Structures are given as structure tokens and as C-alpha cells.
């Protein structure tokens, strides 16, 4: 077999850090780096609904590349949403501006499961692979991160019907009809597995699974109702051969349990110090995070102080610098550019 051009490319910094290999400096990227904090993003988005953007390869590629050009981050993340595959199989979902995903007919009973047919990325959403191919062509050595929603967080949108603070309806369904809830999660896992597989086949070099709202569950419920399904998801995507990151917000109490799902790296929010995460998880996982997203709002002195403090507390091997959750829309993009430079400068190995 002759090696194609991609086989000759050096392994990206991000991928090496996620594999806990030595790096010459720490990689940095930001969740929600493509988005409302960027004027060039707001310009492209004008009048184009979010899900239409995701289905327009050249626009999707453009906004994915914007933060790489502007900030010099060490990875791009595909511009899409966790509900995109669900919408693509015909579930009525709209992403409302300033709100988030809103489901036309929320899931209430077993009959609703029939609405979740299997997801065939090549037929249902071919625009994503097209966008990935444009993006990777432009990125050169910078890797592209793909992503999907974890089953619980996707289920929470389907059952609640819209963004919710503490996922009461979803948690009540789990308590009242655990078998139905489990079947719902299994179907959603299949959809996310299919989506991640096709993203990797199209060229993404790492994947992140967002279980953003899992923190509303107790550890006991997470272990009983969610962990077996998320573990299957991580097991089934292992053979794709790219590093897998598992992330949730406000879920310090679930860190060990979420790590048992079997990712290569754990995303940590700002509430848990990285040194504590390292102690609790051991050496087996890379860590990603975890600057408080409000730090870049607080001025350059605070930014430098907090970044230095975070890096002093972070593991040397196996750390990817990120915020503890997404970039806040009111962030001055110049502060993010500054932050990338700071992390690079502080972590650069003299040689
Ligand atoms: O740059 C990037 O990070 C890529 C783009 C991206 C990603 C990774 C978007 C675009 N969405 C996501 C994932 C996503 N979507 C998550 C997981 C990450 C996280 O925890 O933030 C979640 C929970 C969603 C659901 C969602 N979509 C929300 C949250 C609503 C809630 O429950 O509080 C929102 C606001 C959206 C809309 C959305 N997705 C993306 C953008 C740029 C937007 C805003 C669109 C608009 O304002 O019109």
C-alpha cells in the first residue's frame, strides 16, 4: 500500500497531547471559538439560520476557519451543532437565536421512539463531509475536531423540547420509565456513533463527545442509566483511531464515572482544579481545560495571572488548554488571541 499525503503529515500537537505524548508547547483551542464573539462570524451569519449554515459547506468551512486565522489556535472545531443529525432524520428541530435547540414535538412516550430512525450521514447530511473536505484542505497541519452529543444531553433536548436548567422532565422520564429512557439513549448513541464515524472518515483528527448537561444527574443515576450507553459509544468509536474527549459542565461529581466510559481525554470545567482531576483520574487520561470563560472578560492583567496559575496547576504531559466551557458571546476576540500567545509563550520548551 502506498502512503497517501495524509500519512506523511506530522502528527498534530493536539493529537500528541491527547495521547499524552511529549509536545514542544501546549496546544490551545476554545469551545465555541467559532461564534458570536467574532465580527467576521456575525457578518457571515446575517440572515442565515444556524441549521442552514450547517448544510452549506462553503459557509460552514468559512466560519470553522475564522478562529484559526484570527487567533492561531492549534485546532479547528467543525461548525455544526449536537442536534444537526437529529434534524437531518426528520425530527423537527429549530435552533432559535439566543435560545438554542427547540423541538417541535417533544418526546413523551414509547411511540415517539419510532420517529428516531437510523442516521445515514452520507444520504441524510452529505454536506458535513463536503465541509470537512474543504476545511481540511485549507487547514494544512492544523487538525480539525469533530463532535457529537452524548446520548443523555441529546435526550434532554428531545424530552424537554428546549433548553432547560436542570432537565427535570428528562430526569423524571428516567425515573418513571427507565426502560423507555434507556431505549431512547441507545438510539441516540447509534445516531452519534454514525455521525462520528462519518466525520472521521471525512478527515477529522480528534472527536469530542459533549454530555454538557450530565451534571444534573446524581452519580448513582449517571452510573445506572447513562454510563453503560456512553461506554458503548466510546467503545464503538475506538476503532476509528482518533483521540476521544468526553466533556460535561458542572459535573465534578461525575468525573470518575464519566472517565469509565472510556475516552482518551476528559474535559474539565473551571470548578475542578486540574491537579485535583489528575489526582482523581490518575495518569491514564489527558485533561482538557479549564480557564473560567469569564476570565477573558476581566482584562489583560487578570488574564495573564489566571493563565499562569492554571498552567502551574496543570499536568506537564497530556494537557490541552481550553476554557472550562464555551466562549461567551461578549468576549473581546483580542483577549482570546492574547491568550493563545500567552499559553504558547509560557509552555514553549527551550531547545
Ligand atoms: O465553535 C464551536 O464550538 C463549534 C460550534 C458548536 C458546537 C461545538 C455549536 C454551534 N454548537 C456546538 C455544540 C453544542 N450545541 C452543545 C455542546 C457544547 C456546549 O455545552 O456548549 C450544546 C449543549 C448545544 C446546544 C445548543 N445549540 C445551545 C445550548 C442551549 C442550552 O441548552 O443552553 C445553543 C445556544 C445552540 C445554538 C448554537 N450552536 C452553535 C452556535 C454558534 C449556536 C448559536 C446560534 C445562534 O445564536 O443563532
Amino acid at each position: 500500500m502506498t502512503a497517501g499525503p495524509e500519512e506523511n503529515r506530522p502528527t498534530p500537537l493536539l493529537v500528541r497531547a491527547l495521547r499524552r505524548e511529549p509536545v514542544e508547547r501546549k496546544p490551545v483551542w476554545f469551545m465555541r471559538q467559532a461564534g458570536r464573539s467574532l465580527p467576521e462570524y456575525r457578518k457571515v451569519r446575517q440572515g442565515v439560520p444556524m441549521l442552514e449554515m450547517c448544510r452549506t459547506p462553503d459557509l460552514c468551512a468559512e466560519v470553522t476557519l475564522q478562529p484559526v486565522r484570527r487567533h492561531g489556535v492549534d485546532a479547528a472545531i467543525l461548525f455544526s451543532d449536537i442536534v444537526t443529525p437529529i434534524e437531518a432524520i426528520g425530527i423537527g428541530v429549530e435552533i432559535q437565536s439566543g435560545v438554542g435547540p427547540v423541538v417541535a414535538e417533544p418526546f413523551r412516550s414509547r411511540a415517539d421512539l419510532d420517529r428516531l430512525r437510523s442516521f445515514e450521514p452520507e444520504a441524510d447530511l452529505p454536506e458535513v463531509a463536503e465541509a470537512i473536505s474543504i476545511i481540511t484542505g485549507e487547514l494544512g497541519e492544523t487538525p480539525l475536531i469533530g463532535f457529537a452529543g452524548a446520548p443523555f444531553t441529546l435526550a434532554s433536548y428531545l424530552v424537554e423540547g428546549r433548553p432547560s436548567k436542570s432537565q427535570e422532565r428528562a430526569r423524571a422520564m428516567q425515573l418513571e420509565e427507565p426502560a423507555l429512557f434507556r431505549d431512547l439513549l441507545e438510539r441516540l448513541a447509534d445516531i452519534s456513533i454514525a455521525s462520528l464515524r462519518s466525520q472521521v472518515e471525512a478527515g477529522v483528527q480528534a472527536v469530542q463527545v459533549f454530555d454538557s448537561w450530565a451534571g444534573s444527574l446524581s452519580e448513582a443515576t449517571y452510573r445506572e442509566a447513562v454510563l453503560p450507553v456512553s461506554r458503548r459509544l466510546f467503545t464503538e468509536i475506538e476503532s476509528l483511531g482518533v483521540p476521544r474527549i468526553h466533556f460535561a459542565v458542572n459535573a465534578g461529581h461525575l468525573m470518575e464515572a464519566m472517565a469509565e466510559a472510556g475516552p482518551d481525554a476528559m474535559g474539565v470545567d473551571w470548578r475542578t482544579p486540574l491537579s485535583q482531576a489528575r489526582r482523581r483520574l490518575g495518569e491514564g487520561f489527558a485533561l482538557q481545560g479549564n480557564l473560567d470563560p469569564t476570565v477573558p472578560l476581566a482584562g489583560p492583567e487578570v488574564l495573564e495571572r489566571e493563565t499562569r496559575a492554571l498552567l502551574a496547576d496543570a499536568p506537564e504531559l497530556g494537557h490541552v488548554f481550553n476554557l472550562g466551557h464555551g466562549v461567551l458571546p461578549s468576549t473581546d476576540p483580542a483577549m482570546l488571541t492574547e491568550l493563545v500567545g500567552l499559553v504558547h509563550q509560557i509552555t514553549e520548551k527551550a531547545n
Side-chain angles (χ1 to χ4, degrees):
M1 206 173 92
T2 49
E6 63 277 15
E7 279 82 2
N8 296 326
R9 279 201 216 145
T11 307
L13 207 54
L14 173 89
V15 172
R16 283 186 280 138
L18 289 171
R19 290 182 184 151
R20 289 172 294 118
E21 293 168 7
V23 286
E24 51 281 13
R25 59 176 165 77
K26 287 189 173 179
V28 194
W29 69 279
F30 305 119
M31 290 182 272
R32 294 283 170 98
Q33 62 189 16
R36 276 186 294 166
S37 70
L38 299 182
E40 59 270 37
Y41 168 84
R42 295 197 295 267
K43 201 166 156 207
V44 177
R45 272 298 310 278
Q46 254 172 19
V48 189
M50 170 72 195
L51 289 171
E52 191 181 320
M53 287 275 294
C54 302
R55 280 197 178 264
T56 313
D58 54 340
L59 293 184
C60 170
E62 168 58 23
V63 296
T64 301
L65 294 165
Q66 284 173 347
V68 181
R69 289 189 204 118
R70 182 191 268 260
H71 303 307
V73 281
D74 297 295
I77 178 158
L78 179 68
F79 188 82
S80 184
D81 196 83
I82 57 170
V83 298
T84 312
I86 289 173
E87 196 265 347
I89 61 167
I91 304 293
V93 190
E94 196 192 342
I95 295 191
Q96 291 184 2
S97 181
V99 179
V102 176
V103 178
E105 293 174 54
F107 279 45
R108 294 282 177 261
S109 70
R110 186 156 285 281
D112 288 314
L113 281 186
D114 295 338
R115 292 156 58 199
L116 278 179
R117 68 162 170 84
S118 72
F119 174 51
E120 317 278 346
E122 290 73 20
D124 296 322
L125 200 55
E127 298 88 350
V128 169
E130 270 178 61
I132 292 172
S133 148
I134 301 173
I135 296 162
T136 53
E138 298 265 328
L139 276 173
E141 287 178 15
T142 306
L144 176 64
I145 301 168
F147 71 91
F152 174 74
T153 290
L154 289 175
S156 78
Y157 285 107
L158 288 179
V159 176
E160 301 284 337
R162 58 192 301 113
S164 132
K165 268 215 169 62
S166 44
Q167 290 76 47
E168 287 96 352
R169 270 181 179 272
R171 291 189 292 126
M173 182 190 276
Q174 190 281 319
L175 290 168
E176 205 176 358
E177 295 198 67
L180 164 60
F181 197 73
R182 169 64 74 91
D183 290 346
L184 174 58
L185 296 196
E186 296 286 4
R187 296 245 182 148
L188 292 167
D190 290 335
I191 289 170
S192 287
I193 291 164
S195 172
L196 291 168
R197 180 171 292 134
S198 94
Q199 291 176 53
V200 174
E201 282 167 2
V204 307
Q205 286 169 285
V207 293
Q208 178 151 326
V209 177
F210 285 98
D211 210 350
S212 301
W213 314 136
S216 66
L217 299 167
S218 70
E219 183 182 350
T221 305
Y222 179 85
R223 285 186 177 278
E224 185 188 321
V226 177
L227 176 58
V229 189
S230 287
R231 187 187 280 132
R232 177 171 75 82
L233 184 155
F234 278 98
T235 304
E236 291 200 23
I237 63 172
E238 186 173 13
S239 61
L240 299 174
V242 303
R244 301 154 298 157
I245 308 161
H246 199 185
F247 173 77
V249 193
N250 221 339
H253 62 296
L254 300 180
M255 194 169 3
E256 291 87 348
M258 287 182 65
E260 284 175 35
D264 301 285
M266 283 295 298
V268 181
D269 90 358
W270 64 96
R271 296 168 184 88
T272 306
L274 290 178
S275 56
Q276 187 196 114
R278 170 57 88 228
R279 254 193 326 276
R280 287 169 57 188
L281 296 176
E283 302 290 317
F285 300 89
L287 300 180
Q288 177 174 279
N290 67 345
L291 195 72
D292 184 333
T294 59
V295 169
L297 307 181
E301 289 78 23
V302 174
L303 185 76
E304 175 157 2
R305 184 189 75 210
E306 294 297 318
T307 302
R308 286 190 185 278
L310 193 160
L311 287 166
D313 186 57
E316 179 69 23
L317 269 189
H319 177 218
V320 173
F321 194 99
N322 204 315
L323 302 179
H325 198 190
V327 170
L328 296 168
S330 59
T331 307
D332 174 359
M335 292 292 281
L336 297 180
T337 310
E338 173 81 19
L339 179 52
V340 173
L342 259 176
V343 176
H344 285 170
Q345 179 208 320
I346 297 169
T347 64
E348 192 100 45
K349 296 271 184 311
N351 54 9

